[in-house]
Amino acid sequence: MKIVIGIDVGGTSIKGAAVMENGVILDRFVFPTKKEEKPEVLFDTICEKIVEQMNAKHYEVEGIGIGIPGLINSKEGIVTSSVNLPTWKNFNIVEYVSRKTKLPVLITNDANAAALGEAHFGSGKKYNNIVMVTLGTGVGGGVIIDKKIYDGNEGKGAELGHMVVQVGGRECGCGRRGCLEAYASATGLIASTIEAMEKNPDSKLHEIAKENGKVDAKVAFLAEAKGDKVAKEVVEQYITYLGEGLLNFCNIFRPEAIIISGGVANEGENLFSKLRKYLKDNNYGYKEAPKVEILPSELGYDSGIIGAACLPLFKE
Ligand SMILES: [Zn+2]
């Protein structure tokens, strides 16, 4: 059975594992990422670990796939830049890692990797065309067409979170205004919750935030469940922005399924049932066009590792 290495680079740690061709994870490793540390130093340790693992277990590893948070040039194998990893500037990761390990290396951005993992081994496995949306600090997006990543020129496309849903709206980290990310990320939901709390000192949101210890993405949903009117408005507004974003993806790609992951997706059915209703009511040609399933991620935190492993597993 084929074995490859999948590596999921994050802002605080790098997780990796040997992955079998059936998607089963064998041996894991985790290394912390430090903001000031050069990627070469970090990858010296990681490559050593990989080589050591291969020698100890006699794995015939066929290649390495790496998912990276930031702008990459997938064709040239370069990390152009990464907001959370400031020292990663024009780093030729493919050249570096393949020289150290003598293995072929492929890269993509982290959201694309997660989407590819779900498409092959997660909730998207029975579909050929999916869109994956991650609702975390930002909004990550991945587009899979015929089981392959669609990521545009140099691998810099499919930035679904930076589609504008409110012209002239909230400022976004990318420098524009009104992006989906500014409203539908956990950060966006927290901003909406805080705005509502400031305007409504009598809302249950205050009490729930106090019990919760802080205002996070759960507070609005918790207060809504207790019948708070202001919280209901916050949740409805959240569903509207996220729903409009997903509708745009439905209308542009008409995927068989949209898979949603990330912190906000932990709301489970409470979120998914509302989204399904919104999409059913507003989808272009919803009576004649095929339905788009809205599904939670199946691989969860492993989608990044498994998805990165899918790069060498399913390369042309
Ligand atoms: Zn943006």
Side-chain angles (χ1 to χ4, degrees), residues 239-260:
I239 296 291
T240 302
Y241 281 119
L242 177 55
E244 288 298 322
L246 300 187
L247 280 170
N248 289 333
F249 306 148
C250 290
N251 293 341
I252 296 167
F253 299 108
R254 189 60 53 178
E256 291 150 90
I258 295 178
I259 297 169
I260 301 176

Side-chain angles (χ1 to χ4, degrees), residues 161-163 172-177 179-182:
H162 299 285
M163 174 184 61
C172 179
C174 73
R176 296 176 78 206
R177 282 182 174 275
C179 293
L180 180 64
E181 174 163 306

Side-chain angles (χ1 to χ4, degrees), residues 2-283:
K2 255 196 231 176
I3 291 178
V4 298
I5 306 281
I7 299 177
D8 179 20
V9 178
T12 54
S13 70
I14 295 187
K15 297 178 288 178
V19 180
M20 294 200 289
E21 67 179 314
N22 58 3
V24 172
I25 291 182
L26 294 175
D27 294 290
R28 294 170 185 269
F29 55 83
V30 184
F31 293 100
T33 42
K34 298 178 200 110
K35 272 205 158 71
E36 66 285 0
E37 194 166 57
K38 290 212 159 174
E40 289 88 347
V41 179
L42 193 57
F43 272 94
D44 282 347
T45 319
I46 293 171
C47 293
E48 247 173 60
K49 177 84 193 168
I50 291 171
V51 172
E52 188 191 294
Q53 234 176 37
M54 284 193 296
N55 291 339
K57 310 252 170 144
H58 307 290
Y59 291 153
E60 286 284 341
V61 174
E62 300 208 2
I64 300 177
I66 310 175
I68 298 149
L71 277 181
I72 55 140
N73 182 328
S74 56
K75 221 188 266 170
E76 292 182 21
I78 292 170
V79 182
T80 311
S81 65
S82 177
V83 176
N84 295 317
L85 301 161
T87 59
W88 295 46
K89 266 225 149 318
N90 297 316
F91 171 47
N92 195 325
I93 190 167
V94 165
E95 195 266 330
Y96 199 83
V97 175
S98 59
R99 185 157 47 80
K100 295 256 161 187
T101 58
K102 314 270 185 293
L103 290 168
V105 179
L106 292 164
I107 60 168
T108 189
N109 116 341
D110 56 348
N112 295 333
L116 190 64
E118 291 292 341
H120 283 283
F121 297 113
S123 35
K125 61 177 172 276
K126 57 178 179 175
Y127 307 113
N128 286 322
N129 305 293
I130 62 162
V131 168
M132 181 155 177
V133 180
T134 309
L135 309 171
T137 315
V139 172
V143 177
I144 302 294
I145 298 174
D146 290 330
K147 292 279 189 205
K148 288 188 173 51
I149 293 172
Y150 174 79
D151 57 4
N153 199 5
E154 290 189 358
K156 288 188 170 76
E159 286 295 339
L160 305 182
H162 299 285
M163 174 184 61
V164 169
V165 290
Q166 179 74 62
V167 174
R170 252 185 216 164
E171 259 177 48
C172 179
C174 73
R176 296 176 78 206
R177 282 182 174 275
C179 293
L180 180 64
E181 174 163 306
Y183 296 94
S185 60
T187 319
L189 176 54
I190 292 166
S192 305
T193 308
I194 292 171
E195 268 173 29
M197 286 168 74
E198 281 166 358
K199 279 190 212 143
N200 302 279
D202 299 328
S203 159
K204 276 205 179 76
L205 284 168
H206 292 274
E207 192 185 311
I208 305 266
K210 212 171 172 187
E211 277 170 29
N212 194 49
K214 62 177 179 208
V215 183
D216 60 19
K218 286 185 292 202
V219 168
F221 283 99
L222 286 169
E224 186 225 10
K226 292 204 167 170
D228 185 69
K229 233 181 75 193
V230 176
K232 189 167 182 271
E233 281 166 22
V234 174
V235 170
E236 271 172 10
Q237 189 208 47
Y238 181 79
I239 296 291
T240 302
Y241 281 119
L242 177 55
E244 288 298 322
L246 300 187
L247 280 170
N248 289 333
F249 306 148
C250 290
N251 293 341
I252 296 167
F253 299 108
R254 189 60 53 178
E256 291 150 90
I258 295 178
I259 297 169
I260 301 176
S261 74
V264 186
N266 293 336
E267 285 305 319
E269 265 315 292
N270 189 17
L271 172 78
F272 283 89
S273 58
K274 289 182 173 80
L275 277 176
R276 287 185 188 116
K277 183 176 183 329
Y278 193 90
L279 259 69
K280 184 175 171 284
D281 292 348
N282 297 285
N283 223 323

